[in-house]
Amino acid sequence: MNFQMADLQLLAPHIVVLATALLVLLAEAFCKGERKGYLAYLGIAGIVVAALLTPRLFGPQRLGFSGMLAGDGFAAFFYFILYAVGILTLLVSQNYLRDERFEHGEYYALVLLALVGMMLMAGATHLMVVFLALETMSIAIYALAGYFRTERSVEASLKYFILGGFASGFLLYGIALIYGACGTTQIYDVMAYFKALPALTSSPMALAGIGLLTVGFGFKVAAVPFHAWTPDVYQGAPTSVTAFMATGVKAAAFSAFLRVFVVAFQGTHVEWSGVLWVLALLTMTLGNLTAIAQTDVKRMLAYSSIAHAGYLLVGLVVGTPEASSAMMVYLLAYAFMNIGAFACVIMVGRYGQENTSLDAYAGIGFRFPALGLAMAVFMFSMAGIPPTAGFIGKFLIFKAAVHEGYYWLTILGVLNSAASVYYYLRVIITMYFKPSPDEPAVDGLRVGPSAALATVLAGVGVLYLGIIPGGIIKLAEQAVRFMG
Amino acid sequence: MLDLIWLIPFFPMVGAIVNGLFGRRLPKGVVHTVACGSIFLSFLVSAGAFFALKALPPAERVFEQVLFEWIAFGSTTINLGYLLDPLSCVMILVVTGVGFLIHVYSVGYMSHDPGYARYFTYLNLFCFAMLTLVLGNNFLVMFVGWEGVGLCSYLLIGFWFEDAAKAAAGMKAFIVNRIGDFGFLIGMFLIFWVFGTLDFRTVMAQAPGALVVGGGIVTAITLFLFVGATGKSAQIPLYVWLPDAMAGPNPVSALIHAATMVTAGVYMIGRCNVLFSMAPVSMTVVATIGALTALFAGTIAITQNDIKKVLAYSTVSQLGYMFTAMGVGAYVAGIFHLMTHAFFKACLFLGSGSVIHGMHEEQDMRKMGGLRKHMPHTYWTFLIATIAIAGIPPLAGFFSKDEILWKAWSGGYKFQWFLGFAAAGITAFYMFRLVFMTFFGKERFDPEEVHVHESPRSMTVPLWVLAGLSVVGGWVGIPAALGGANNFHHWLAPVLDPAAVTETTHAAAPDLDGLLGVRTAYASEGAGHAEAPEGHGAAVGAEGGAEHHDPTEYVLMFLSVAYALLGILVAYFAYLLKPDLPGKVAAKAKGLYELLYNKYFVDEIYQAVFVEGTLALATFFWAFWDVVVIDGIVNGTGYVVRSLGGGLRLLQTGKVQAYAMTVLLGAVVLVAYYAVVAAF
């Protein structure tokens, strides 16, 4: 394996985040006091430094470490989504952890370690690196999911761990089959191999490999029928971790999903797009239908995240650069609106009482106007109503689908989106139009400066993307240029 | 300096944000300092921009500033940018200048209102929207401002929303405006369809090549835009909201419903003058509607007894003049009248506010009289503004109104001229009726109950400034026929009358830049076309030819002054010498009086046809279509979906083994599918 110093440039952001994670652990060991909130800011500082090292990755594609890691706009754009997710998660967590009496340095370190894994997934151009990165991310997330050591939290963690291991097996088996068929696991080599040997598109080994990779990625993005873990894990995990999983893991998994399928398996688009078509439809529909029946906001958001995975899969089915850039914008939008919504959910709860049932939200829109406004903005965005980021994301994805002639999928997607308005608006209606009970469950907000900042940042992000999306859309379009 | 024009809308925006978020907790002094200060800073920047623009040679007086790319779809990008040229420069000066005075006046007028901070928030927000409207460099930015001012208008008309009638007036304004906005939107869509851009400069430069003069498309575009203008600028048939809009606080009527917002339609036509000049049919429609409105609203004003209602109909009538000017191609004259009208009408509205304030919220002129002694400042300023609007030289109104009438006559629009001329005397009559009823004669109120007092300094000083402007404001546009230089015309000529510019600049600077080259081309083409069927070009030609003056111009000038004096005399006779005469006349011509007093029953007709009609249709759709058909479908769907969701929910057993099973099953199905694909 060749190693050049120049390759380190591609890895610099990862190294910085990793170093920050270690630094956080070290700093905790030396800190005396009970208050460990500054560790979150240390983490944020690390992410900011990494972010400063990232812009130079935009530009012509470079591969490093013998073609295992890419430095390109695609990776860089995803890094930025992940930075946003990381920073918002750390901000949201700080206050929440203290209130739940669980403020420890390892939490922040685990978030940063998971972030490193996610970033590697976005940059990976080699199936083995994809796998290793996915495991790096997942192991940190398993630990985070069980972080509260309550019965539910541990159960969530264990479920996710067992099923995740199970799914990883499929992924690894798929990679092995692809290696068997192509003799390589480097993504661009695989692409070239499929191009050179058209007969491969009907090779059972290659196709079975693609099928198993679909299972592996489908599990991580929570696509039906590999989604079953999602509601239980999302509901059981600490809310800040749920936000992190729903946005970060999804973005990272989709980045690898995109690069592997749209680049490496370009030649077999006809074969796999049909399968994903069905998965996309199932995922949207099942996510939305089940979300409608929920009476718990956190669980509703879990199902909603399944539905969003469905919309994103539409972009993958289309498979054009236009669709890929649309997915990237969507994932950014989703990061803002989803973490924002979970931040509101956290604020409504209090120590020992999560208050995630919808009834707890009755009348809080008027009692806590700022929270009500923020939650309303996030719900509108999730429902895809302009002028919010959610609308732009959906619009771009469906536009790309229509351009490629996927009319039915678009129609079904829009219908799904319309149905989803029901359960998002129900939150707003409960907040504003249901009178508060005489003894309201929520008598104060769990809010600190960092959580408030996170909510404001997320809200600004949602509205910025919704009102002035031009620059970001253009950036995303440039980022996928190499996919051609 | 020009680079700073983004600050002009920015300051009021900041003011609105500060007062909107923190106003309720701030002391009043801070609230109005922020509000007035922000608009004053805007005025300073505007003035600076004016001088910077003036320093440039006339042909280069265009400055475009793109703040950021706003929307990018495929090959289309729409920028959020500002365009400063002589036209928008006049507008920003009027908006910030008059706006500042009205802000100051409001400090006194609203001092006892509990919604002090809310009021100034809206007022600043309005200025922000209005400045966006006039500075926008494309139709979409203009539309944002257009909707923004509509919103602020709604908020301020219904400012005292506890009163149901006032809240309803706000809604009426909003709904009627929406009808006009719909026309504007369609016009905008058509422009986008034809040109693929909404950028003013591109559209205007490409119009001569892309559209056929007098063709269906340009006529449709301009007519739809004009529908938008009739809504915002209260012209027939959409004027009905403006008189009701007087429910808002007085300074609001002065700023929004007299000086600035309602002139947005006029400004828009001025901005699109290239398009309008290419559509003779639309021009005739604009001129006719304008002239009809001028006369129609003027006649209604004669019989109204509410001091603000008179001024409201007078505003509608004066806006009619502006549209007449636009329609006959005298764009400069229209903008000129827009400016002078902003001065004297703002003065009149603020004066009426001072009267109402002094009379303890009394608006009925029949219960006033003799206020001259009690409120000298208000009286004198009001009188000056009234003389200005009546068209007596050398006050501002004379020059601008006369220029419009002359251009209508000389452009061959004799019918429109006649309507406008008829309205001119009526204007003098009803305005002096107002003055005589309010300030002269016997006191028709009980001095024991009503302690009339002059208003505070913060109110009278703006009045005097505006009165001063009502006197001198017209002097910038003294026509050549009276030996003036008509600087106003030269200032606006690069935008509104390119033909005149090319003639002067050809001599001065032979090497013209590319932009002007384009302008020259379409200007001469436009003029040529216009001359053929309608003889539009006559006015322009006469203007360019300088020195020689048609004697008719003097005759008409004399006639209109004499006619205005006659109107004043009649008012003097009827309301001061023989106060019982109007009653007798009203009794004699009962039918006519009732018709005018009830404003031609237009509100009643609209109510019966549109409102009741819509309601009847809506009731049908609600009772049958919605309740029976749609609700049936929706509830049915909802029921099915919810049962489905409830059923699916049961799949979530919480057992890891079951979950793993679904993953496995999914994987088996997938791989089996691929195996089948591979096999066949």
Side-chain angles (χ1 to χ4, degrees), chain A residues 281-295:
Chain A
L281 180 61
L282 281 178
T283 309
M284 289 189 281
T285 314
L286 194 120
N288 279 322
L289 286 185
T290 326
I292 286 174
Q294 301 307 317
T295 51

Side-chain angles (χ1 to χ4, degrees), chain B residues 1 48 75 123 165 220 240 267 275 301 330 342 346-347 353 365 386 401 436 445 453 460 524 589 601 608 631 656:
Chain B
M1 192 68 218
S75 59
L123 216 55
V240 288
Y267 167 75
L275 297 176
C347 185
M365 295 190 295
T386 306
K401 195 191 286 181
F436 292 143
F445 52 88
H453 59 85
T460 52
S524 50
F601 296 98
D631 280 6
V656 180

Side-chain angles (χ1 to χ4, degrees), chain A residues 1-4 6-7 10-11 61-72 120-130 184-191 259 263-264:
Chain A
M1 172 170 151
N2 287 325
F3 171 75
Q4 288 153 343
D7 291 352
L10 310 185
L11 203 59
Q61 189 178 36
R62 282 181 295 163
L63 295 182
F65 300 100
S66 310
M68 290 192 175
L69 188 72
D72 53 16
L120 277 172
M121 280 181 86
T125 49
H126 193 281
L127 290 173
M128 285 319 294
V129 180
V130 169
T184 175
T185 42
Q186 207 281 341
I187 283 174
Y188 293 93
D189 292 346
V190 172
M191 175 180 82
R259 209 190 281 260
V263 177

Side-chain angles (χ1 to χ4, degrees), chain A residues 159 162-163 166 170 202 204 207-208 210-212 214-215 225-226 228-229 231-232 271-272 275 286 289-290 292-294 299 303 395 467-470 474, chain B residues 68-74 77 641-642 644-646 648-649 651-656 659-664 666-667 670-671 673-675 677-679:
Chain A
K159 265 185 193 165
I162 293 173
L163 292 169
F166 191 55
F170 287 100
S202 57
L207 288 180
I210 293 175
L212 293 175
T214 312
V215 177
F226 316 112
W229 57 276
D232 292 9
E271 281 77 15
W272 55 259
V275 173
L286 194 120
L289 286 185
T290 326
I292 286 174
Q294 301 307 317
R299 202 169 173 86
Y303 281 105
F395 173 76
I467 297 170
I468 326 170
K474 198 156 261 181
Chain B
F68 52 81
E69 189 174 82
W70 183 19
I71 301 167
F73 286 122
T77 52
V641 168
R642 249 179 306 157
L644 262 178
L648 287 172
R649 196 179 174 182
L651 289 179
Q652 207 69 39
T653 53
K655 292 212 166 56
V656 180
Y659 294 175
M661 202 59 185
T662 58
V663 174
L664 185 63
L670 270 189
V671 173
Y673 168 80
Y674 278 120
V677 169

Side-chain angles (χ1 to χ4, degrees), chain B residues 611-624:
Chain B
V611 179
E612 304 286 340
T614 309
L615 280 180
L617 199 66
T619 311
F620 166 75
F621 276 123
W622 165 62
F624 172 71

Side-chain angles (χ1 to χ4, degrees), chain B residues 400-414:
Chain B
S400 53
K401 195 191 286 181
D402 222 61
E403 192 177 346
I404 293 173
L405 290 175
W406 164 239
K407 288 288 163 65
W409 175 274
S410 61
Y413 291 89
K414 297 284 183 335

Side-chain angles (χ1 to χ4, degrees), chain A residues 153-386:
Chain A
S153 179
V154 172
E155 184 191 325
S157 170
L158 196 64
K159 265 185 193 165
Y160 192 28
F161 174 61
I162 293 173
L163 292 169
F166 191 55
S168 290
F170 287 100
L171 187 75
L172 202 53
Y173 196 5
I175 295 174
L177 291 180
I178 293 296
Y179 182 72
C182 307
T184 175
T185 42
Q186 207 281 341
I187 283 174
Y188 293 93
D189 292 346
V190 172
M191 175 180 82
Y193 204 78
F194 270 103
K195 273 221 178 103
L197 268 182
L200 212 58
T201 53
S202 57
S203 139
M205 199 198 291
L207 288 180
I210 293 175
L212 293 175
L213 282 172
T214 312
V215 177
F217 287 127
F219 179 85
K220 283 294 168 199
V221 303
V224 175
F226 316 112
H227 70 289
W229 57 276
T230 321
D232 292 9
V233 175
Y234 278 17
Q235 198 178 14
T239 311
S240 55
V241 176
T242 310
F244 188 49
M245 279 195 280
T247 54
V249 175
K250 200 177 293 279
F254 264 112
S255 72
F257 210 158
L258 261 173
R259 209 190 281 260
V260 172
F261 275 67
V262 175
V263 177
F265 301 152
Q266 223 171 45
T268 51
H269 180 257
V270 186
E271 281 77 15
W272 55 259
S273 65
V275 173
L276 289 185
W277 196 103
V278 177
L279 287 195
L281 180 61
L282 281 178
T283 309
M284 289 189 281
T285 314
L286 194 120
N288 279 322
L289 286 185
T290 326
I292 286 174
Q294 301 307 317
T295 51
D296 182 289
V297 176
K298 204 170 162 187
R299 202 169 173 86
M300 180 274 277
L301 285 173
Y303 281 105
S304 118
S305 109
I306 297 176
H308 283 284
Y311 305 130
L312 284 158
L313 279 171
V314 172
L316 199 58
V317 171
V318 178
T320 54
E322 187 192 5
S324 304
S325 65
M327 288 170 71
M328 288 154 76
V329 175
Y330 196 112
L331 282 164
L332 184 62
Y334 186 66
F336 286 130
M337 61 199 188
N338 204 37
I339 298 187
F342 275 116
C344 294
V345 170
I346 289 177
M347 285 189 238
V348 169
R350 63 161 183 250
Y351 178 54
Q353 188 184 340
E354 279 210 290
N355 280 337
T356 54
S357 89
L358 197 56
D359 297 331
Y361 284 70
I364 62 172
F366 288 113
R367 282 193 291 134
F368 310 107
L371 175 99
L373 176 70
M375 190 67 169
V377 168
F378 298 131
M379 288 298 118
F380 277 127
S381 181
M382 295 271 228
I385 292 166

